[in-house]
Amino acid sequence: MIRCLAIDDEPLALGQLVAYINKVPFLELAAQCQSALEARNFLENDTVDAIFCDINMPDLNGMDFVKSLAVPPLIVFTTAYSEYAVEGFKINAVDYLLKPFGLQDLQRAANRIKDRLTESVAAAKPATDSTDSLFLKTDYRIVKVNIPDIRYVEAMSEYLKVWIEGEAKPIITLLSMKKMEEHLPNNFMRIHRSYIINLDKIQEVNKNRVIMDSDTYLPIGDLYKEAFQAYLDTKFLGK
């Protein structure tokens, strides 16, 4: 399923957009928002694969909202004003739906999203030169990463943030968590749907959190608690 976010400040237009999304079998509506600010708050705690976004909205318009995202998901703009089309495609929008649009128009945009995600997964296979390193594509560069230096990996929509020892900013790469797991050794473990950690970098385990350093507290997801506890049991020396 492709998780998507619907944004429109007009309730009737938002309702119609949501109705269309719910009729596309491979789309899953993660949330609907009536402003870009509401959408930004949602994205601080959750991720989506695509956004259907109106442009003319109060406080923060859709175009500026998308430009403000560090790594935006796939974007389909919806608007009643055709003059925004060129600017929309300049920021690599997947499609541009001119209101009033119908279900067939949205289905076309959804298919383009699906095709783009399929292409991204196919192109995101990492190359390896040894068991101790791998190469990741980030922006327009391909960088070599020493696997022992990876502290943890964080999922962000179809992208990953790879946090490296001694680096203030992560490497952001277009890759799935599953593919990354396949290329990491046994001292890495997934503890949450959004986190893979280097077990050698753990400083502390406190209740349902793994503490990597004084500023990094990562949650342990319910699906991963049993496996993580089993790992701790093999290392635990107390009673």
Side-chain angles (χ1 to χ4, degrees), residues 119-135:
E119 292 169 1
S120 298
V121 171
K125 296 179 180 178
T128 60
D129 68 342
S130 74
T131 57
D132 295 326
S133 63
L134 51 79
F135 288 89

Side-chain angles (χ1 to χ4, degrees), residues 51-133:
I51 297 177
F52 292 86
C53 185
D54 186 26
I55 294 179
N56 280 351
M57 293 186 290
D59 298 325
L60 179 64
N61 72 48
M63 201 75 70
D64 290 338
F65 163 66
V66 171
K67 290 178 181 178
S68 74
L69 299 176
V71 184
L74 299 180
I75 303 296
V76 174
F77 283 118
T78 65
T79 183
Y81 302 93
S82 59
E83 60 265 28
Y84 288 111
V86 174
E87 187 177 358
F89 285 115
K90 279 183 179 178
I91 62 175
N92 202 29
V94 175
D95 209 341
Y96 180 96
L97 301 181
L98 188 62
K99 297 178 180 178
F101 55 86
L103 176 58
Q104 287 187 336
D105 299 311
L106 186 128
Q107 179 73 63
R108 180 197 68 220
N111 287 337
R112 288 181 176 177
I113 291 170
K114 186 178 181 181
D115 291 344
R116 187 79 67 89
L117 290 174
T118 300
E119 292 169 1
S120 298
V121 171
K125 296 179 180 178
T128 60
D129 68 342
S130 74
T131 57
D132 295 326
S133 63

